[in-house]
Amino acid sequence: MHIHLCIGFLERREGPFLGLREFMGSQVLPRYPGVSVRYNSWTDDVAGEILRCAAGAGKLVLLGHSYGASALVRAAERMPGVVVDHLIMLDPVPRWLWGQFQWSSYKLPVNVRAATCIYNPISLPKSSPIRRPRGSGFRNICVAPFHASIPGDREVQGRVMEIIAGVAERECVRVPPVVRE
């Protein structure tokens, strides 16, 4: 499995990712040592980085905060042949119009199998949920922490861990071979 993280406006690729880097190092990687993780900024060539890093890695999880979440949506649109097993958006802010209008909500590309948007509807900058989630694998979750606090919040990290565990478990499921008589 490959997890690709993308952070927003005020973070640096080498920085703490508002708690996400520590969360990956202390919670996710010890539990799933075979997982590869890559960190990007919203200003990077995110689609190109995903294509370079995730090839042959199995399941693909994209996790982004703020502008980083919107960069991952655009990256998924630019990679129609790549299956995104789960897109996790933490208080996503579209780059256009600074996300001040709810009509800018995300409509996800068809190559995204499942997505979760964890957001605070009243924090600034204004985030946007998934518009018309399709099926049970697409959901919006409202939370209390404000924008910059969401990635480091323990409850939010617990939800992210549940999603990663679900993707990892689905990866390990083996379908028994069909026996023909």
Side-chain angles (χ1 to χ4, degrees):
M1 178 168 48
H2 177 73
I3 301 173
H4 210 93
L5 283 88
C6 193
I7 201 65
F9 188 66
L10 295 176
E11 281 290 302
R12 295 182 339 270
R13 185 179 322 115
E14 301 79 27
F17 277 65
L18 296 175
L20 288 176
R21 190 181 297 275
E22 291 82 2
F23 170 66
M24 285 290 134
S26 67
Q27 301 294 316
V28 177
L29 292 176
R31 186 169 175 187
Y32 304 103
V35 168
S36 63
V37 179
R38 176 73 178 179
Y39 302 90
N40 275 116
S41 166
W42 66 281
T43 58
D44 295 335
D45 173 19
V46 179
E49 285 290 316
I50 292 169
L51 290 172
R52 281 188 287 281
C53 298
K59 301 287 184 175
L60 176 60
V61 175
L62 303 180
L63 171 59
H65 174 252
S66 190
Y67 277 11
S70 66
L72 290 174
V73 172
R74 286 190 309 279
E77 289 171 346
R78 291 180 46 208
M79 306 179 307
V82 174
V83 173
V84 176
D85 293 287
H86 209 107
L87 170 63
I88 306 167
M89 299 185 293
L90 304 178
D91 219 28
V93 176
R95 218 169 55 174
W96 56 96
L97 297 176
W98 281 70
Q100 297 303 311
F101 305 102
Q102 284 300 309
W103 52 260
S104 65
S105 299
Y106 295 98
K107 184 174 181 189
L108 299 174
V110 296
N111 60 324
V112 175
R113 286 189 175 164
T116 303
C117 178
I118 302 172
Y119 74 109
N120 182 328
I122 62 169
S123 71
L124 291 175
K126 188 78 170 138
S127 63
S128 295
I130 302 167
R131 180 177 23 153
R132 293 189 302 264
R134 58 183 194 269
S136 61
F138 296 83
R139 62 189 171 164
N140 293 307
I141 300 171
C142 293
V143 294
F146 285 105
H147 186 72
S149 303
I150 285 179
D153 183 77
R154 290 196 184 278
E155 177 187 345
V156 170
Q157 290 179 351
R159 290 181 181 265
V160 169
M161 186 60 123
E162 289 171 9
I163 293 166
I164 292 169
V167 173
E169 288 171 16
R170 283 191 302 276
E171 183 174 26
C172 295
V173 172
R174 302 285 186 252
V175 178
V178 175
V179 177
R180 297 189 181 173
E181 296 179 16

